[in-house]
Amino acid sequence: MNINFEKGEGLIPVIIQDFTTLEVLMLGYMNEEAYQKTIEENRVTFFSRSKNRLWTKGESSGNYLMVNKIHLDCDQDTLLIFATPNGPTCHTGSKNCFNLTNDKSFLFELENIINSRYNHPNQDSYVNKLREKGLNKIAQKVGEEGVETVIAALAESREHLINESSDLLFHLLVLLKEKGISLEEIGLNLKNRHVQAN
């Protein structure tokens, strides 16, 4: 990766995004040494301007940022790192440093939770109980929730529609997992269809 460290007098800005939810977690700075340490350890290391030294995020709290992907911008002077946080990112205990809610990205987080239930079955988990009933039952639940969503849209309150829509999306995510399809694939398909239509 041909990074231009000279442009910012040896430092480049680094944006950290949650790999699962795509939530922006924080902004930091790296020099070339911090970048090399990040690559070697697969944990995000910054150059702290206030401490004037390398600083691995989580070195005191244990809340490391584990690297998934690194992207360089078009000017080669800014990095975007997709990372998996091992706890809150902000020193205040918040998930991110911008005091943002992650409601818009919770579908990806929910997909991750469902994946975890599949990978580590728990007898008390609703996902596990549904999975044990098989594909036909999971598909049936999506159909039932779809009908209930339509009824709520036509004859019930906004609150009922939100609840029924939530049930529908949850069961659809379980069905997609059962069939080995990710939200990312659905998003790409929708994007391609949009591009083709325009």
Side-chain angles (χ1 to χ4, degrees):
M1 199 171 281
N2 190 20
I3 304 170
N4 186 350
F5 286 99
E6 300 306 315
K7 198 170 182 180
E9 298 180 356
L11 293 178
I12 60 165
V14 180
I15 302 160
I16 307 295
Q17 253 185 297
D18 188 300
F19 180 66
T20 300
T21 66
L22 306 181
E23 180 181 0
V24 176
L25 299 176
M26 69 175 292
L27 170 75
Y29 292 86
M30 283 185 186
N31 60 10
E32 195 163 357
E33 189 180 359
Y35 173 73
Q36 289 303 328
K37 188 174 182 190
T38 296
I39 296 298
E40 289 166 12
E41 297 184 355
N42 210 45
R43 292 187 300 197
V44 176
T45 293
F46 297 108
F47 179 83
S48 172
R49 295 171 298 168
S50 58
K51 299 172 185 175
N52 198 33
R53 67 171 177 85
L54 294 187
W55 165 61
T56 299
K57 181 71 182 86
E59 65 186 24
S60 56
S61 66
N63 296 333
Y64 297 108
L65 293 167
M66 308 307 295
V67 176
N68 296 98
K69 293 181 182 177
I70 299 178
H71 297 278
L72 182 63
D73 81 333
C74 57
D75 293 322
Q76 299 177 309
D77 61 1
T78 303
L79 288 179
L80 172 63
I81 297 182
F82 290 99
T84 300
N86 286 345
T89 298
C90 186
H91 70 281
T92 64
S94 178
K95 186 175 179 188
N96 65 68
C97 294
F98 299 100
N99 198 26
L100 301 170
T101 58
N102 66 337
D103 297 343
K104 289 182 181 179
S105 60
F106 185 71
L107 279 179
F108 291 101
E109 194 168 331
L110 181 57
E111 180 185 44
N112 205 40
I113 292 168
I114 291 169
N115 289 342
S116 179
R117 297 287 192 269
Y118 265 68
N119 295 333
H120 310 284
N122 180 329
Q123 292 302 316
D124 296 327
S125 161
Y126 175 71
V127 171
N128 191 66
K129 291 174 182 175
L130 194 56
R131 185 184 183 192
E132 287 178 345
K133 293 177 181 176
L135 175 61
N136 287 346
K137 181 61 178 178
I138 297 170
Q140 181 186 335
K141 283 296 292 180
V142 172
E144 289 171 5
E145 298 301 343
V147 170
E148 289 173 12
T149 299
V150 171
I151 292 169
L154 296 175
E156 296 180 7
S157 68
R158 183 174 189 275
E159 183 181 355
H160 278 100
L161 178 57
I162 290 171
N163 284 329
E164 294 301 343
S165 297
S166 298
D167 289 343
L168 174 59
L169 284 171
F170 171 79
H171 287 91
L172 179 58
L173 284 174
V174 176
L175 178 61
L176 290 174
K177 174 60 183 175
E178 185 69 22
K179 296 298 292 183
I181 299 170
S182 68
L183 269 179
E184 184 177 5
E185 289 176 86
I186 300 296
L188 283 172
N189 185 51
L190 288 169
K191 181 180 178 181
N192 290 337
R193 287 162 63 176
H194 173 73
V195 169
Q196 289 167 7
N198 293 287

